[in-house]
Amino acid sequence: MTKADLVFTAGPVHTTDAARTRATGLAVTGERITAVGHDEVRELIGPRTEVVDLRGKLLIPGFQDSHIHAVYGGTELAECDLTGTVGADEYLRRIRGYAAAHPDRPWITGSGWSMESFEGGLPTRQMIDSVVSDRPVYLLNRDHHGAWANSRALELAGLTRESVDPADGRIEREADGTPSGVLQEGATGLVARMIPAGTLADRSAGLLRAQSLLHSLGVTGWQDALLGVFNGQPDPSDAYLAAARAGSLTARVSGALWWDRDRGSEQIPELVARRTALSHGRFRVGSVKVMQDGIAENFTAGLTSPYLDGCGCATGNSGLSFVDPLALRSYVTELDALDFQVHFHALGDRAVREALDAVEAARATNGRRATRHHLAHLQLVHPQDLRRFAEVGAIANIQPLWAAHEPQMDELTIPFLGPERAAWQYPFAALLRAGATLAAGSDWPVSSPDPIAGIHVAVNRMQPGATDGRVFLPEQRLDPTAALAAYTAGSAHVNGWDDAGSLRPGHLADLVVLDRDILTGPPEEIAEARVLRTYVGGELVHAAA
């Protein structure tokens, strides 16, 4: 009998395999699992076998993230970081401090400010001018659908009161029409395009920085949700390909090629060529990202009926559809026929419906193919559309961290939706009951990449550490097993790694050891769990100090 390289003993082992969900032992030989069971697994222990005792711990499949921007996130870790606070004065202190610490940088760039920190969600250019006026400053907000710029940045971009809003965005303005310093959606690119392009070395460093962080959180694979140039952001594809060729990409990465919404089907041959050119080793490119709408907080998420104003009256604005809905059906049908997966950004209920209509059209023309189309974000899903996910074979790609009470939800979203639509938000349990397959992701750097925090919110519908006791739509809570399955088997399925996401013989040994059993402990303590070890293909890529 061939002895194993690695054996886990004394359980518990949670497999996410429906045939046997729990075991106490697991063996690994090379990069694959060779046995799952109980005491009999010990027979595979030899003189050179590494043995890991699981008493008091939990072994699970490696987490996979179904929607993330890892290179962007890793790059932003080295920029001006405004996360972790909502204080306007603290933002300005950090901006001043970062500028002073980096006197040679021609632009000050960063991210992470929250709309809730400012009246109406809108800071001003003069606020940044008060701490940095000699160099341009450009700071993405935490959802990355808006940016805050100082006067120097607006000047370099040539933005004045005469500047026209782009079709896919909005320049916020002062009373006389002068740009106020906030740019929404496609308008962010008006300034971002002026920022000096980073180098491949910068992007590669960002990728490795992100990979180290993600492995420390138990993430063994992910789908990068945007490969391409977007609103001045550089294309991260070259960093992935370089890492895959060099062998430094230890994670399993699927990539989604950006659909240029200013073009049509003429770009499809280019996408086909890029799919072939970029796929190498652990980096696979087989998805196309279509951003169908914006976000609710800046009133660009596509809704089936208008947003409300501050008095609760209907406005004339129902949000945006970045791609014509009828054309979208044609594009998705053609992509589906070419075996592309389509990864939709669909946040409002109209955008969700438009995406489902497109998938339905593709199925009607091409039949039910294994293309695994998925809709990400799903903040509002009309009740009539819940069952359609299963009917058309569209996967629900959820970002659980957003499904909780916090000021951006309570002050900048719910009042402008009204009580009926507010109750349609993030309907995780309803989707699962309707037969949808769930996958889970973080959208990092928009929100934390920590899957354990995401599972905590999916189960509790409260942010970790919340003390006010308010549960956000409690009927939409998932049980811990379902939430964990979304972050493992569900996301592995979406990402195309069919031999990952569950622990069974023959599958890849992508594994995580937690310091406790989050499936049997108190649900309110899930966020306290920590990752002790992360393995990819049987190789240890992270060990807690």
Side-chain angles (χ1 to χ4, degrees):
M1 182 183 296
T2 302
K3 300 303 182 182
D5 297 319
L6 176 64
V7 170
F8 298 87
T9 66
V13 177
H14 183 79
T15 68
T16 73
D17 181 353
R20 176 170 55 186
T21 59
R22 301 287 273 197
T24 58
L26 182 144
V28 175
T29 306
E31 67 173 1
R32 295 193 177 268
I33 298 167
T34 46
V36 179
H38 298 285
D39 290 347
E40 73 277 10
V41 176
R42 290 179 175 273
E43 297 174 9
L44 298 176
I45 298 173
R48 297 184 180 179
T49 303
E50 178 185 358
V51 179
V52 178
D53 190 323
L54 293 174
R55 278 177 287 193
K57 305 176 182 67
L58 176 66
L59 180 67
I60 58 174
F63 296 120
Q64 292 217 14
D65 193 309
S66 56
H67 184 106
I68 193 171
H69 306 279
V71 176
Y72 294 166
T75 301
E76 288 178 12
L77 290 174
E79 297 181 336
C80 183
D81 181 14
L82 301 182
T83 62
T85 183
V86 293
D89 290 342
E90 176 62 14
Y91 294 149
L92 298 179
R93 187 193 69 79
R94 293 187 189 184
I95 296 167
R96 180 192 295 111
Y98 186 88
H102 299 86
D104 298 328
R105 294 207 171 182
W107 280 71
I108 304 303
T109 57
S111 62
W113 58 274
S114 292
M115 296 172 66
E116 69 196 68
S117 304
F118 306 98
E119 184 177 356
L122 301 174
T124 67
R125 59 188 172 89
Q126 291 89 347
M127 296 175 75
I128 307 179
D129 293 345
S130 70
V131 292
V132 180
S133 59
D134 60 330
R135 283 181 283 170
V137 179
Y138 176 83
L139 303 163
L140 289 162
N141 65 10
R142 82 177 193 196
D143 58 40
H144 289 61
H145 286 259
W148 179 19
N150 70 349
S151 296
R152 181 62 178 147
L154 297 171
E155 177 187 351
L156 290 174
L159 297 184
T160 68
R161 69 184 67 181
E162 285 77 34
S163 298
V164 177
D165 287 353
D168 61 350
R170 183 173 69 249
I171 303 168
E172 301 290 356
R173 300 175 188 269
E174 297 168 0
D176 66 354
T178 300
S180 68
V182 172
L183 307 158
Q184 307 284 13
E185 297 294 344
T188 61
L190 301 175
V191 172
R193 68 188 180 191
M194 307 302 299
I195 300 172
T199 65
L200 172 58
D202 295 331
R203 292 187 289 280
S204 295
L207 170 58
L208 296 182
R209 197 179 293 122
Q211 180 173 254
S212 178
L213 172 62
L214 292 166
H215 284 337
S216 77
L217 298 171
V219 178
T220 59
W222 61 81
Q223 183 163 148
D224 193 298
L226 205 166
L227 300 183
V229 176
F230 169 65
N231 280 349
Q233 295 275 17
D235 183 354
S237 302
D238 56 355
Y240 282 116
L241 184 57
R245 287 174 170 168
S248 56
L249 185 66
T250 51
R252 306 187 195 281
V253 179
S254 302
L257 299 169
W258 176 246
W259 179 268
D260 185 345
R261 58 203 187 203
D262 293 325
R263 302 172 66 195
S265 60
E266 72 275 9
Q267 66 188 287
I268 291 178
E270 299 167 23
L271 298 174
V272 172
R274 291 196 75 204
R275 174 172 62 181
T276 301
L278 290 173
S279 296
H280 184 90
R282 290 185 175 179
F283 181 46
R284 299 177 179 176
V285 177
S287 186
V288 173
K289 169 67 174 298
V290 174
M291 182 179 285
Q292 187 58 14
D293 68 341
I295 61 170
E297 293 89 341
N298 67 10
F299 314 117
T300 57
L303 305 184
T304 55
S305 57
Y307 287 93
L308 306 181
D309 61 19
C311 299
C313 300
T315 68
N317 175 32
S318 296
L320 301 176
S321 292
F322 290 131
V323 180
D324 176 79
L326 292 179
L328 182 65
R329 300 177 192 180
S330 173
Y331 302 153
V332 172
T333 298
E334 188 171 350
L335 290 167
D336 179 76
L338 292 168
D339 292 322
F340 275 111
Q341 174 190 80
V342 181
H343 179 159
F344 298 92
H345 168 117
L347 196 140
D349 64 325
R350 189 183 77 235
V352 170
R353 183 168 291 173
E354 290 166 353
L356 290 171
D357 288 345
V359 175
E360 185 174 48
R363 302 301 192 208
T365 300
N366 302 330
R368 191 74 168 257
R369 302 168 65 86
T371 37
R372 306 180 191 183
H373 305 308
H374 53 119
L375 282 63
H377 307 327
L378 305 177
Q379 181 166 356
L380 273 81
V381 181
H382 195 287
Q384 294 176 1
D385 290 321
L386 292 168
R387 58 179 175 77
R388 296 184 66 203
F389 283 80
E391 290 174 353
V392 305
I395 297 163
N397 184 343
I398 64 174
Q399 282 63 62
L401 277 171
W402 306 346
H405 283 292
E406 45 88 25
Q408 198 154 301
M409 170 64 73
D410 295 341
E411 299 170 11
L412 299 178
T413 303
I414 291 175
F416 304 101
L417 296 177
E420 181 182 18
R421 288 183 299 188
W424 300 349
Q425 294 187 90
Y426 305 116
F428 305 155
L431 284 163
L432 192 62
R433 287 192 298 268
T437 296
L438 302 186
S442 64
D443 205 11
W444 184 63
V446 171
S447 44
S448 168
D450 184 1
I452 295 173
I455 291 170
H456 179 97
V457 176
V459 171
N460 293 283
R461 303 284 288 204
M462 297 173 64
Q463 291 186 329
T467 58
D468 60 10
R470 293 191 303 151
V471 179
F472 182 69
L473 303 177
E475 67 277 10
Q476 298 300 342
R477 289 180 288 200
L478 296 177
D479 67 63
T481 300
L484 177 60
Y487 271 102
T488 52
S491 291
H493 176 69
V494 158
N495 294 344
W497 298 96
D498 291 334
D499 51 357
S502 61
L503 306 183
R504 61 179 71 177
H507 274 212
L508 291 162
D510 296 352
L511 313 167
V512 171
V513 179
L514 302 182
D515 68 352
R516 69 194 71 195
D517 189 340
I518 60 173
L519 302 176
T520 60
E524 64 273 14
E525 296 178 7
I526 289 174
E528 298 175 15
R530 294 294 175 264
V531 171
L532 299 179
R533 292 178 173 229
T534 305
Y535 298 83
V536 180
E539 294 292 326
L540 184 68
V541 294
H542 168 75

